[in-house]
């Protein structure tokens, strides 16, 4: 066993969770380092909430081992784990005032009254609710209730704070605010956060590392940047951000590994990816990497260029989204407004012959055979 | 109770103050039937009973409207009545506790672990026996608990006891068991209704915050279902104060409760004498209700808040 | 369902307070019924009586032949019936009552109407003494049409109770702890103990006599298993063997035997007993009074009364019915039930009636049988 000082905050070793025949989590191994803002991301049914419940101690493991700061805690009941949770529906106690809600966990520890009072004040201030201490949960807005839940869990000063889709019930604007707020609080308290969400944008904006899950497996673990730019498979690529996928096959253009699109265009790729020799593969290009125009691209970059027809031009506020039908497939390109106002140009593109191009260094070959996770499970709604 | 109604009227929302009288009357019209029922079927008879209780009965069983405190003196000077009332309360309290404990377990299980649809069916099954006659059910208990009853036959058949026991029925134990049986469904329904609304994640949250399951139960669940618990207490305890059929049928000669003594007066047309006992019990019940109500209101405010 | 005490009292007082309303609605029903059957010959009358005073098939037959419908409400007891009639008065047309309740309560209160019993042809079937009871005779006529009667006897399980008892004292024997089932009628239980203590006029006891009775009630209490809500409770307890001693009307030995129970015997205690004889009284100013004589003429005939005896098993006052029973081969049973010994048996019993010591009796009972 690893010493407590150097051990990860949370460690899952070959953890499996079954409900009867159904496997919710299949031999998952995972390490979450102390101080991380770690995000479990995936569609409904991917196992992310199961993982959280296992860590919280609310459900038992079927097999494998769970460690908190190096200590095996498989059989420790929730109230003895140094882990606290912000629940999806907040689970505030409606018969207690805000202050009493925050004090609840401290009273359970039998802390002295003045210490409890001090901490309640401290954490209500941290979440900006000092003036609401005497209100009851029924009198709070969703965002306020969310902060109370946060203060209540943090006041215990746990090793790890678990957050189960805490922003799911908030409207978009509030959610954006709370994302910033959560990130600030995380920096301020320094506690390890484990955050469950199905919203990739939330994960990208807050997490230090993300585990993308599907079908009870972890598909990829990495920083937001690593995952966004280098998704290991089509599922991850599709789940994180918007992607263009062009069918084709791995080939060689004589100078190194390459990808041949269905229209015959050969695109050089940096290295031949593992596991792509068999089965279907696709070339992934992020829309913001795709250039579009009636004329040929300028500049020095060795772009890949294909011809097509702009079938849709949509003004999206800070950018315009242009859909182009090419003989290699449909490509979506984003043009951000700013430096040069090309609005007129864009509007003229509709139903016109255009060129699309991208820097081949920004495209990635991904396996395309496993679409189960992305297509079916995404329909299941936000709960995981 | 009356004072509470007055209190409620005094607390009418301020928006109603400026409304003209006609509109006000129209607003109150839907409550007229309820008012007629409360006044006609509750307050007037109660007032009559109060008046009767100070009169007496002559040899022709005619009520003589001459004021006397004798009926009340009888109650308090003859230790039987106070003692029997006390015994009734002890049994009532015991039955209430057992009913609530058992009903809580059932309701908790149904509310937490059973789908709403199946819980409804289970509750229906619990209630179904109550569509049959009260007498029939109590007679069945005589047949179960009696010397030649099913319970004794099973116990003797299994060799647990050698001879049929006479201890199961026609004593306070018999009354206790049957009263528990009769009132559990009321308690179960009320408790289920309040548990159904409870968000059980709160118990998980409490445990997550360091509360053992027992403390989570005590500090989080109990305070929130207190209105339901109190209502269940009212539904069980107060009717038991008025139970006379069950004690006389399965309590036997040694198990009479206060309502039996009361019924004996009415059975012999001794209306004022019975009225005094009845009024004392009614007054007692009213005091209990007010006490219960007070608890209810505090909880209501907190839960609603 | 159960009536809780304050509901009970509430209901009682509601009856008193809302008598007018009840009268109006009852009147409405009566009027409606009259309208339906309202020829001079037929109609509906309202009768409050015990369940053993009629047999449904007989009522149906009279309804079919004479268009007279008896609208029956259940009579719980003498005191309750009396209190009820005082409330509703002429809304009822006929009511049943026991022995001294008839003159001392109903007639004294002016609630019933004396009539010439001999003007009823069917009355010729009665024992002649039944038409001449002093207590029911007034200058204006007879107070009721005599129906049934019985002394209260003690019945014992022959195998369990020995030696054969002959006295009320057997009920006090500690040997029979928890083995007695007795009627749920406090004033009667006090009266039995009055008899046991040698008092004759058990419904009008003095304070001294009541003090003695209290001692006996205290001895009785541990012996009583339960109070019978209805006569069948006593019979069932005897049949199952739970009870070894019961009190009740004539005929219980056959009822227990018919139910497959053990051999039991009955006796009238040597100290004397209480008894009842009942009659149908004609309510003063009853709206449908005209229907009563035609009804009684049909209902009280010997064949009907004989059938009633077979069904309900206690003697009646119809002499002609005795002959019917003899012809039907039921003489043995009729004789065992003292069918034709009414006059001498009743002479030895204290007849039920309202007494001066009723309230004290109830208080005494409550004092002993309360907790």
């Amino acid at each position: 066993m690893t010493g407590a000082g150097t051990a990860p905050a949370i460690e899952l070793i070959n953890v499996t969770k079954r409900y009867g025949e159904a496997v919710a989590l299949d031999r998952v191994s995972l390490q979450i380092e102390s101080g991380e803002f770690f995000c479990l991301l995936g569609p409904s049914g991917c196992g992310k909430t199961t993982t959280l419940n296992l860590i919280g101690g609310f459900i038992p493991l079927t097999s494998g081992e769970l460690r908190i700061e190096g200590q095996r805690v498989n059989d420790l009941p929730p109230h003895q784990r140094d882990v606290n949770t912000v629940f999806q529906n907040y689970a505030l106690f409606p018969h207690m005032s805000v202050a009493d809600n925050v004090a609840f966990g401290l009273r359970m520890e039998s802390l002295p009254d003045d210490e409890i009072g001090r901490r309640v004040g401290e954490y209500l201030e941290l979440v900006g609710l000092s003036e609401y201490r005497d209100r009851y949960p029924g009198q709070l807005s969703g965002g306020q209730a969310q902060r109370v839940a946060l203060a209540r869990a943090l006041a215990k000063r746990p090793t790890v704070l678990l957050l189960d889709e805490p922003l799911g019930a908030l409207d978009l604007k509030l959610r954006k605010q709370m994302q910033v707020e959560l990130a600030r609080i995380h920096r301020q308290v320094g506690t390890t956060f484990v955050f469950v969400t199905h919203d990739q944008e939330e994960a990208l904006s807050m997490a230090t590392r993300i585990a993308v899950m599907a079908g009870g497996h972890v598909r990829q673990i990495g920083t937001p940047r690593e995952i966004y730019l280098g998704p290991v498979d089509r599922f991850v690529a599709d789940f994180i951000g918007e992607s263009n996928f062009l069918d084709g096959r791995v080939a060689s253009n004589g100078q190194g590994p390459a990808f041949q699109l269905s229209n015959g265009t050969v695109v050089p790729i940096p290295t031949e990816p593992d596991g792509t020799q068999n089965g279907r593969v696709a070339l992934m290009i992020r829309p913001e990497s795709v250039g579009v125009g009636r004329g040929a691209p300028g500049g020095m970059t060795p772009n890949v260029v294909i011809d097509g027809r702009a079938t849709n031009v949509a003004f999206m506020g800070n950018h315009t989204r242009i859909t182009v039908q090419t003989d290699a497939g449909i490509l979506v390109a984003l043009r951000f407004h700013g430096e040069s106002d090309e609005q007129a140009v864009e509007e003229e593109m509709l139903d016109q012959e255009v060129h699309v191009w991208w820097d081949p260094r920004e495209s990635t070959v991904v396996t395309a055979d496993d679409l189960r996770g992305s297509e079916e499970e995404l329909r299941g709604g936000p709960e995981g | 109770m009356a004072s509470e109604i007055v209190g409620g009227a005094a607390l009418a929302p301020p928006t109603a103050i400026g409304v003209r009288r006609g509109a006000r009357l129209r607003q109150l019209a839907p409550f007229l039937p309820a008012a007629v029922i409360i006044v006609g079927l509750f307050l007037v008879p109660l007032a009559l009973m109060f008046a009767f209780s100070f009169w007496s009965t002559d040899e022709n069983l005619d009520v003589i409207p001459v004021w006397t405190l004798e009926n009340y003196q009888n109650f308090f000077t003859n230790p039987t009545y106070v003692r029997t009332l006390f015994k009734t309360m002890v049994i009532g309290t015991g039955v209430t506790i057992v009913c609530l404990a058992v009903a809580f377990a059932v309701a908790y299980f149904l509310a937490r672990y059973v789908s709403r649809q199946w819980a409804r069916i289970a509750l229906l099954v619990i209630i179904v026996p109550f569509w049959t006659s009260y007498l029939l059910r109590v007679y069945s208990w005589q047949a179960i608990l009696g010397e030649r009853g099913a319970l004794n036959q099973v116990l003797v058949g299994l060799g647990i006891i050698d001879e049929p026991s006479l201890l199961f029925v026609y004593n306070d134990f018999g009354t206790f068991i049957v009263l528990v049986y009769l009132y559990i469904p009321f308690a179960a329904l009320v408790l289920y209704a309040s548990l159904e609304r409870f968000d059980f994640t709160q118990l998980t949250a409490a445990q997550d915050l360091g509360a053992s399951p027992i403390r989570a139960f005590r500090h989080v669940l109990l305070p929130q279902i207190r209105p339901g618990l109190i209502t269940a207490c009212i539904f069980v305890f107060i009717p038991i104060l008025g139970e006379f059929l069950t004690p006389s049928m399965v309590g036997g000669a040694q198990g009479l409760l206060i309502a039996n003594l009361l019924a004996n007066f009415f059975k012999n047309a001794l209306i004022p004498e019975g009225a005094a006992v009845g009024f004392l019990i009614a007054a007692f019940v009213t005091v209990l209700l007010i006490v219960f109500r007070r608890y209810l209101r505090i909880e209501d405010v907190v839960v609603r808040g | 369902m159960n009536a809780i005490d304050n509901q009970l009292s509430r209901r009682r007082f509601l009856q008193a307070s809302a008598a007018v309303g009840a009268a109006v609605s009852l009147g409405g029903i009566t009027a409606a019924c009259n309208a339906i059957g309202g020829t001079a010959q037929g109609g509906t009358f309202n009768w409050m009586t015990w369940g053993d005073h009629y047999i449904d098939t007989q009522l149906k037959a009279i309804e079919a032949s004479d268009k007279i419908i008896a609208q029956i409400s259940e009579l719980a007891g003498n005191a309750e019936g009396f209190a009820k009639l005082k409330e509703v008065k002429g809304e009822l047309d006929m009511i049943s009552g026991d022995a001294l309740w008839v003159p001392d309560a109903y007639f004294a209160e002016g609630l019933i109407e004396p009539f010439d019993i001999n003007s009823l042809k069917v009355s010729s079937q009665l024992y002649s003494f039944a038409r001449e009871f002093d207590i029911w005779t007034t200058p204006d006529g007879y107070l009721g049409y005599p129906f049934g009667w019985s002394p209260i006897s003690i019945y014992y399980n022959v195998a369990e109770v020995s030696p054969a008892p002959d006295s009320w004292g057997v009920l006090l024997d500690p040997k029979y702890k928890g083995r007695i089932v007795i009627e749920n009628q406090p004033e009667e239980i006090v009266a039995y103990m009055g008899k046991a203590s040698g008092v004759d006029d058990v419904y009008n006891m003095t304070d001294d006599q009541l003090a003695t009775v209290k001692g006996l009630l205290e001895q009785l209490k541990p012996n009583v298993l339960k109070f019978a809500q209805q006569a069948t409770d006593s019979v069932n307890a005897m049949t199952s063997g739970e009870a070894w001693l019961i009190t009740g009307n004539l005929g219980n030995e056959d009822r227990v035997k018919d139910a497959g129970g053990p051999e039991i015997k009955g006796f009238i205690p040597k100290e004397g007993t209480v008894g009842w004889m009942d009659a149908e009284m004609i309510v003063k100013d009853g709206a449908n009074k005209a229907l009563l004589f035609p009804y009684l003429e049909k209902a009280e005939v010997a064949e009907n009364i004989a059938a009633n005896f077979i069904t309900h098993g206690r003697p009646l006052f119809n002499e002609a019915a005795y002959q019917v029973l003899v012809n039907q081969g039921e003489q043995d049973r009729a004789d065992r039930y003292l069918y034709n010994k009414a006059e001498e048996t009743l002479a030895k019993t204290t007849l039920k009636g309202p007494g001066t010591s009723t309230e004290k009796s109830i208080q005494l009972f409550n004092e002993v049988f309360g907790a």
Side-chain angles (χ1 to χ4, degrees):
Chain A
M1 193 176 284
T2 332
T6 56
I10 300 282
E11 191 172 10
L12 276 70
I13 304 165
N14 267 326
V15 169
T16 296
K17 176 64 192 175
R18 277 197 203 88
Y19 295 101
E21 290 295 298
V23 181
L25 219 54
D26 187 11
R27 284 159 296 159
V28 166
S29 292
L30 195 64
Q31 286 191 358
I32 301 169
E33 301 303 329
S34 182
E36 274 199 274
F37 195 132
F38 192 89
C39 204
L40 295 166
L41 174 67
S44 170
C46 71
K48 60 190 190 297
T49 298
T50 301
T51 308
L52 199 77
N53 283 334
L54 287 171
I55 299 172
F58 309 127
I59 53 174
L61 282 71
T62 306
S63 66
E65 188 171 325
L66 171 68
R67 292 181 184 172
I68 296 175
E69 294 204 308
Q71 302 294 312
R72 183 190 154 100
V73 295
N74 285 27
D75 305 315
L76 211 59
H79 65 277
Q80 289 169 14
R81 294 192 186 190
D82 191 12
V83 165
N84 289 108
T85 308
V86 175
F87 292 87
Q88 189 170 9
N89 66 351
Y90 317 138
L92 297 181
F93 307 130
H95 61 301
M96 295 181 193
S97 69
V98 165
D100 285 337
N101 262 281
V102 177
F104 182 86
L106 308 174
R107 294 203 172 111
M108 292 300 118
E109 277 182 62
S110 301
L111 291 182
D113 282 349
D114 54 346
E115 170 69 9
I116 291 175
R118 202 161 42 243
R119 280 220 216 161
V120 169
E122 179 187 331
Y123 283 91
L124 281 180
E125 193 179 335
L126 177 73
V127 298
L129 284 180
S130 298
E131 284 158 33
Y132 292 81
R133 54 178 304 130
D134 294 325
R135 296 257 184 117
Y136 282 87
Q139 300 166 315
L140 302 177
S141 69
Q144 290 164 340
Q146 218 274 310
R147 289 160 193 253
V148 175
L150 198 59
R152 182 176 73 173
L154 282 171
K156 296 273 289 180
R157 295 186 176 156
T159 306
V160 176
L161 182 74
L162 307 178
L163 301 103
D164 186 5
E165 306 223 17
L167 309 182
L170 305 180
D171 62 41
L172 182 65
K173 203 171 169 189
L174 204 54
R175 196 150 59 203
K176 300 262 186 208
Q177 278 177 21
M178 279 309 296
Q179 286 174 14
V180 177
E181 190 76 357
L182 270 179
R184 170 186 69 80
I185 290 168
H186 174 249
R187 282 194 305 274
Q188 208 166 328
V189 297
T191 304
T192 313
F193 279 27
V194 180
F195 189 100
V196 159
T197 184
H198 67 280
D199 181 334
Q200 47 95 14
E201 194 203 316
E202 239 169 64
L204 291 174
S205 71
M206 293 188 293
T208 53
R209 278 202 306 155
I210 296 172
V212 182
M213 298 183 72
H217 295 272
V218 173
R219 292 295 183 95
Q220 187 172 7
I221 299 180
T223 64
R225 182 173 299 272
E226 283 166 1
I227 290 183
Y228 188 81
L229 297 176
V232 292
D233 57 21
R234 182 162 174 171
F235 169 76
V236 175
D238 203 24
F239 197 75
I240 308 277
E242 195 180 9
S243 302
N244 293 302
F245 295 103
L246 296 178
D247 290 335
R249 58 187 181 80
V250 177
S252 174
N253 64 354
Q255 295 161 14
F259 190 89
Q260 186 175 20
L261 300 178
S262 55
N263 68 348
T265 308
V266 173
V267 181
I269 48 176
T271 51
E272 187 166 332
D274 293 338
T276 54
Q277 288 87 351
N278 309 317
R280 291 171 57 216
V281 290
L283 190 69
M284 185 214 79
I285 316 119
R286 297 287 182 191
E288 65 272 20
S289 303
V290 178
V292 61
R294 299 187 69 181
M300 304 287 110
T301 28
N303 284 317
V304 179
V305 184
I306 344 181
D307 298 335
R309 173 186 288 271
T311 55
N312 192 34
V313 176
F315 177 68
M316 306 296 288
N318 63 346
H319 66 273
T320 299
R321 180 189 166 91
I322 302 150
T323 310
V324 181
Q325 176 75 54
T326 73
D327 49 8
I330 294 171
L331 277 166
V332 172
L334 302 184
R335 287 180 66 148
F336 289 85
H337 311 143
E339 296 125 42
S340 59
D341 189 349
E342 299 181 71
Q343 188 184 347
V345 181
E346 283 158 4
E347 276 173 5
E348 280 170 17
M349 281 187 200
L350 187 60
D351 285 335
Q352 299 299 312
E353 298 298 326
V354 292
H355 303 291
V356 288
W357 60 85
W358 69 90
D359 181 343
R361 286 169 304 185
E362 291 184 8
S363 57
T364 311
V365 176
V366 293
T367 52
D369 54 345
D370 186 5
L371 300 176
R372 187 180 58 83
S374 59
E375 308 261 315
E376 286 173 24
E377 297 184 24
L378 264 172
R379 276 188 229 123
E383 277 173 327
Chain B
M1 297 274 281
S3 67
E4 302 246 333
I5 291 162
V6 172
L11 290 173
T15 48
I17 287 172
V19 180
R20 278 186 298 130
R21 178 165 293 195
R24 185 70 190 273
L25 281 178
R26 231 173 294 129
Q27 275 181 346
L28 292 176
F31 301 102
L32 197 66
V36 167
I37 286 171
I38 287 173
V39 172
L41 299 189
F42 182 70
L43 293 180
V44 169
L46 203 68
L48 272 170
M49 181 164 89
F50 191 60
F52 268 67
S53 71
F54 290 102
W55 295 343
S56 60
T57 314
D58 72 358
E59 284 165 17
N60 288 333
L61 299 179
D62 283 326
V63 174
I64 312 293
V66 175
W67 301 96
T68 171
L69 283 172
E70 204 180 315
N71 299 324
Y72 287 95
Q73 276 164 2
N74 255 335
F75 186 94
F76 289 107
T77 53
N78 190 337
T80 305
Y81 294 101
V82 176
R83 212 160 47 217
T84 310
L85 179 59
F86 182 74
K87 177 186 173 181
T88 308
M89 285 169 56
V90 169
I91 288 186
T93 307
V95 171
T96 307
I97 290 169
V98 173
C99 271
L100 258 62
V102 176
F104 181 85
V106 172
Y108 187 93
F109 179 79
L110 292 180
R112 181 157 195 186
Y113 299 110
V114 178
S115 76
R116 192 157 290 199
Q117 182 194 358
W118 282 105
R120 293 268 153 87
I121 290 169
L123 285 172
L124 199 68
V125 169
I126 292 171
I127 299 163
V128 158
F130 286 74
W131 292 346
T132 61
S133 129
Y134 175 101
L135 274 177
L136 198 68
R137 280 177 287 133
V138 181
Y139 271 118
S140 315
W141 277 100
Q142 286 187 350
I144 293 168
L145 300 174
E147 187 180 4
R148 305 288 151 90
L151 180 60
N152 267 318
Q153 282 182 10
V154 168
L155 291 178
V156 172
L158 293 175
I160 293 168
I161 51 176
D162 296 333
E163 287 188 352
S165 170
L166 303 175
L167 298 177
F168 299 139
V169 73
Y170 309 127
N171 51 28
D172 294 335
F173 174 81
T175 306
F176 197 95
I177 292 290
V178 175
L179 287 178
V180 165
Y181 160 79
L182 288 173
Y183 285 97
I184 274 184
F186 297 100
L189 280 180
V190 171
L191 291 179
Y192 178 76
S194 66
L195 283 167
E196 192 188 26
R197 289 194 301 260
F198 180 77
D199 168 18
F200 284 95
T201 335
Q202 288 178 44
L203 288 184
T204 313
Q207 290 185 57
D208 180 75
L209 291 165
S212 64
I214 290 171
R215 292 178 87 188
F217 178 84
R218 215 182 83 205
H219 295 292
V220 175
L221 178 63
L222 268 194
Q224 292 184 59
I225 61 161
R226 191 177 290 171
L229 286 171
I230 289 169
T231 308
C233 282
I234 291 173
F235 276 22
V236 175
F237 183 77
I238 289 178
I240 285 174
L241 290 183
E243 273 285 352
F244 65 93
L245 262 174
T246 295
S248 77
M249 286 173 71
V250 293
Q254 327 302 321
L256 298 189
L257 299 182
I258 189 70
N260 295 94
L261 307 190
L262 171 82
N264 286 339
F265 285 121
F266 285 119
K267 214 184 322 189
N268 289 280
L270 298 168
I271 290 171
E273 292 79 358
V277 178
F279 192 81
L280 285 169
I281 298 173
F284 180 69
V285 166
T286 309
V287 169
L288 278 185
L289 277 176
I290 289 171
V291 171
F292 279 142
R293 285 282 307 178
R294 185 144 305 159
Y295 274 112
L296 264 182
R297 287 181 143 199
I298 290 169
E299 283 310 322
D300 277 355
V301 169
V302 169
V303 171
R304 233 185 287 123
Chain C
M1 270 318 275
N2 59 319
I4 74 170
D5 45 14
N6 50 357
Q7 279 176 346
L8 176 79
S9 42
R10 229 181 274 155
R11 198 188 311 139
R12 306 272 329 169
F13 285 95
L14 174 68
Q15 287 168 354
S17 63
V20 178
V24 169
S25 56
L26 240 173
I29 293 164
T30 312
C33 293
N34 285 346
I36 293 163
T39 65
Q41 293 299 311
T44 301
F45 71 92
N46 296 300
W47 182 19
M48 181 176 261
T49 188
W50 285 290
D52 64 350
H53 277 227
Y54 57 91
I55 292 175
D56 284 332
T57 51
Q58 296 177 2
L59 294 181
K60 285 274 185 302
I62 295 169
E63 184 180 334
S65 63
D66 295 71
K67 309 280 183 288
I68 298 174
I69 299 167
Q71 182 88 33
I72 290 169
S73 45
E74 179 69 23
L75 177 58
N78 286 299
E80 283 187 313
F82 177 54
K84 181 76 188 171
L85 186 60
K86 278 201 283 189
E87 288 167 22
V88 303
K89 298 232 168 61
E91 295 305 321
L92 286 170
D93 301 299
M94 191 156 78
I95 187 164
S96 308
D98 271 331
L100 289 162
W101 282 89
V102 174
D104 293 358
Y106 289 95
F107 182 61
E109 197 80 359
L111 296 170
I112 55 167
E113 220 164 80
F115 58 96
D116 177 10
I117 188 159
N118 294 315
S119 69
L120 273 163
K121 281 201 290 292
V122 74
S123 75
S124 64
Q125 296 184 356
L126 295 169
Y127 289 102
S128 60
F129 64 83
R131 299 191 299 263
E132 294 159 7
F133 283 119
D134 288 344
I135 55 168
W136 289 348
T137 305
T138 73
D140 297 324
Y142 213 54
L143 294 180
Y145 188 89
F147 188 70
W149 63 278
S150 180
I152 299 300
S153 306
I154 297 176
Y155 295 87
Y156 62 98
N157 182 323
V158 173
E160 303 286 356
V161 178
S162 63
D166 62 355
S167 151
W168 287 106
V170 68
L171 299 183
L172 309 177
D173 190 334
K175 269 197 296 188
Y176 307 124
K177 181 167 185 289
R179 289 298 179 180
I180 298 173
V181 171
I182 202 164
E183 300 95 324
N184 190 18
Q185 291 172 5
E187 85 279 22
E188 301 303 333
I189 294 169
V190 172
Y192 300 162
M193 290 303 103
K195 284 289 178 190
S197 71
V199 177
D200 186 42
D201 190 1
V202 288
Y203 296 110
N204 299 289
M205 286 195 271
T206 65
D207 288 356
D208 284 349
Q209 289 170 330
L210 285 166
T212 313
V213 166
K214 184 180 178 187
L216 299 186
L217 281 172
E218 280 163 352
Q219 288 179 54
L220 174 69
K221 182 179 177 182
N223 285 5
V224 178
L225 180 66
K226 63 170 170 176
F227 301 107
Q229 303 298 319
Q230 43 196 11
T232 51
D233 288 354
S234 305
V235 170
N236 290 341
M238 205 64 156
T239 305
S240 76
E242 272 181 347
W244 296 345
L245 289 155
I246 60 173
T247 52
N249 294 336
L250 290 170
N252 276 330
E253 57 270 61
D254 284 344
R255 292 187 197 108
V256 171
K257 201 169 131 197
D258 291 348
E263 186 193 347
I264 73 165
K265 278 187 179 159
F267 66 95
I268 295 178
K270 63 183 181 194
E271 298 91 345
T273 188
V274 298
W276 55 271
M277 50 190 222
D278 59 17
E280 315 303 353
M281 297 173 280
I282 295 178
V283 175
K284 195 170 191 171
D285 302 329
N288 310 292
K289 197 162 49 178
L291 298 171
L292 298 180
F293 273 28
Y295 170 78
L296 289 172
E297 292 283 15
K298 288 281 179 177
E300 300 290 334
V301 295
E303 291 71 24
N304 280 354
I305 298 300
N308 188 294
F309 174 81
I310 298 298
T311 307
H312 294 298
R314 37 94 196 86
L316 298 112
F317 285 118
N318 191 311
E319 188 174 18
Y322 179 73
Q323 200 51 52
V324 174
L325 290 168
V326 170
N327 295 343
Q328 291 175 351
E330 296 284 351
Q331 184 179 2
D332 168 61
R333 191 198 301 222
D335 287 348
R336 274 190 290 113
Y337 293 9
L338 309 172
Y339 193 103
N340 57 5
K341 295 226 167 35
E343 193 169 16
E344 55 210 274
T345 310
L346 286 170
K348 286 186 292 186
T349 67
T350 301
L351 292 174
K352 284 191 186 183
T356 53
S357 53
T358 303
E359 185 188 342
K360 282 181 175 150
S361 293
I362 302 304
Q363 294 278 13
L364 189 61
F365 179 89
N366 279 353
E367 198 178 328
V368 173
F369 279 89

